[in-house]
């Protein structure tokens, strides 16, 4: 029995390394996806606006919007993900965008209503849920117009 006492520890270490490698690969993939989303950003007044529907979890949305916000002061980003019946929106606004009147909480609340949902949050970061996933594109398409009304 003493011969096998190290095997579980080795297997656990190997598993932890595999999980770490997978997380690192997923982060790199998400970073590439984020670059693609940001490359398609449009200008609304003096603020960059990026919107996209992605495959991912609410946690993935939060990580991506937080990264984008941290790297772009003049950005408003709104991402949506559909997982089965669950629709999630996540929005983030950089410091400069917030100072010009952008409010992530109010923005996601308005677009979630289009999909029969609700939500909100702080000026710089917010999440919302929706019930009607068939209207996600329509909701995302309203972001520039809603933002334009917010900006001072």
């Amino acid at each position: 029995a003493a011969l096998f006492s190290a095997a579980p520890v080795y297997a656990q270490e190997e598993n932890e390394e595999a999980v770490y490698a997978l997380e690192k690969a997923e982060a790199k993939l998400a970073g590439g996806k984020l670059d693609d989303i940001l490359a398609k950003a449009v200008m609304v007044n003096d603020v960059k606006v990026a919107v996209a529907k992605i495959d991912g979890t609410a946690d993935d949305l939060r990580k991506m919007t937080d990264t984008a916000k941290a790297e772009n002061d003049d950005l408003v980003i709104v991402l949506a993900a559909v997982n089965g019946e669950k629709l999630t929106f996540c929005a983030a606004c950089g410091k400069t965008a917030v100072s010009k009147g952008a409010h992530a909480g109010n923005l996601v609340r308005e677009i979630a209503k289009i999909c029969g949902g609700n939500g909100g949050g702080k000026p710089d970061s917010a999440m919302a849920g929706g019930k009607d996933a068939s209207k996600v594109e329509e909701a995302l398409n309203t972001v520039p117009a809603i933002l334009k009304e917010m900006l001072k």
Side-chain angles (χ1 to χ4, degrees), residues 37-96:
I37 293 165
L38 295 177
K40 295 175 185 158
V42 297
M43 294 301 289
V44 174
N45 296 355
D46 295 334
V47 175
K48 277 191 288 192
V49 183
V51 297
K53 179 181 166 193
I54 65 163
D55 293 324
T57 64
D59 195 42
D60 294 335
L61 295 179
R62 170 78 71 198
K63 285 177 186 170
M64 288 176 76
T65 56
D66 284 349
T67 299
K69 172 182 71 171
E71 295 174 0
N72 302 275
D73 280 350
D74 63 340
L75 177 73
V76 172
I77 183 167
V78 180
L79 300 179
V82 179
N83 288 315
E85 295 296 309
K86 192 167 182 170
L87 169 60
T88 306
F89 293 103
C90 188
C93 302
K95 288 178 186 166
T96 303

Side-chain angles (χ1 to χ4, degrees), residues 1-23:
L3 291 173
F4 300 107
S5 64
V9 173
Y10 174 74
Q12 182 179 353
E13 286 173 2
E14 196 172 72
N15 186 41
E16 287 171 1
E17 287 174 16
V19 168
Y20 175 74
L22 181 62
E23 286 174 351

Side-chain angles (χ1 to χ4, degrees), residues 99-123:
S99 73
K100 291 180 180 182
H103 192 294
N106 296 341
L107 186 58
V108 290
R109 185 178 304 113
E110 289 304 310
I111 64 173
K113 285 179 187 175
I114 294 167
C115 299
N118 203 345
K122 300 180 290 184

